[in-house]
Amino acid sequence: MAASLSCSAGFVLGMDLGTTSVKVVLLDAQSKTVTDSSSFPTNSDISSTSDTHAKEQDPALIIAALDQCMDALPKDKLKKVKCIGVCGQMHGIVLWKSKSGCEWLSEDEIIRLIPKDVSQLITWQDGRCRADFLFSFPKPDWFTSDRERVTATEQSVKDAIV
């Protein structure tokens, strides 16, 4: 059962950090109508000359697109946001150094996240993980077949490498 949040007054901010664009929306919590929205392309794909299966993106460009979207929303309404919903790309991996992966900047009531000491985002579209690599992992006792092992390992590797 989904938890019920009380956002009866003010606004709900929705964010979609997608593969090709970032979208934000403000929803009036009482009337349940969209009052404002914005969308910007991320233009964050990174070309790979060494591997045609590589699919990586620049996290700084994704955050910049989010900043553009947020800047397009009315500041007076943003101050009245009571709930925030965020969705994003399918599984992906970004690595960052502990305690130095980002910097927060505050200027004129606007807070910005600046990524530093982070890897590129390896997206859900990346195709560099091959079956021979997956089969090199020890076989857990609870897998019943090699196909199940490949499917579960693919997902685990994409979701959990840190």
Side-chain angles (χ1 to χ4, degrees):
M1 178 181 230
S4 175
L5 295 176
S6 176
C7 294
S8 59
F11 295 91
V12 177
L13 173 64
M15 299 179 190
D16 177 11
L17 307 174
T19 305
T20 59
S21 66
V22 172
K23 299 170 227 39
V24 296
V25 62
L26 278 175
L27 178 78
D28 182 292
Q30 287 185 319
S31 67
K32 296 182 177 37
T33 58
V34 172
T35 62
D36 302 274
S37 65
S38 181
S39 176
F40 283 93
T42 61
N43 298 318
S44 60
D45 286 346
I46 297 171
S47 299
S48 174
T49 56
S50 62
D51 191 336
T52 59
H53 299 290
K55 185 67 173 165
E56 296 184 10
Q57 294 182 335
D58 183 341
L61 294 175
I62 297 168
I63 292 170
L66 176 60
D67 287 342
Q68 285 182 290
C69 285
M70 295 299 294
D71 288 345
L73 298 177
K75 304 300 175 252
D76 60 318
K77 291 180 183 176
L78 286 173
K79 290 178 182 181
K80 298 175 186 172
V81 167
K82 303 297 180 190
C83 298
I84 300 174
V86 180
C87 67
Q89 299 186 24
M90 295 172 65
H91 42 270
I93 301 167
V94 175
L95 305 175
W96 63 92
K97 289 185 179 178
S98 176
K99 300 180 184 172
S100 69
C102 69
E103 181 179 336
W104 292 97
L105 298 179
S106 180
E107 191 175 289
D108 297 326
E109 296 185 11
I110 298 173
I111 298 173
R112 303 252 188 235
L113 169 71
I114 310 298
K116 44 185 253 190
D117 294 332
V118 299
S119 71
Q120 303 301 345
L121 165 65
I122 300 173
T123 76
W124 61 273
Q125 299 164 315
D126 195 278
R128 290 177 282 184
C129 188
R130 303 279 185 259
D132 58 336
F133 170 72
L134 298 175
F135 281 114
S136 71
F137 288 100
K139 185 175 181 177
D141 296 336
W142 47 275
F143 282 112
T144 59
S145 72
D146 281 341
R147 181 64 232 155
E148 182 181 343
R149 177 180 175 204
V150 168
T151 303
T153 306
E154 286 171 344
Q155 190 65 43
S156 296
V157 167
K158 288 180 180 178
D159 288 346
I161 290 182
V162 278

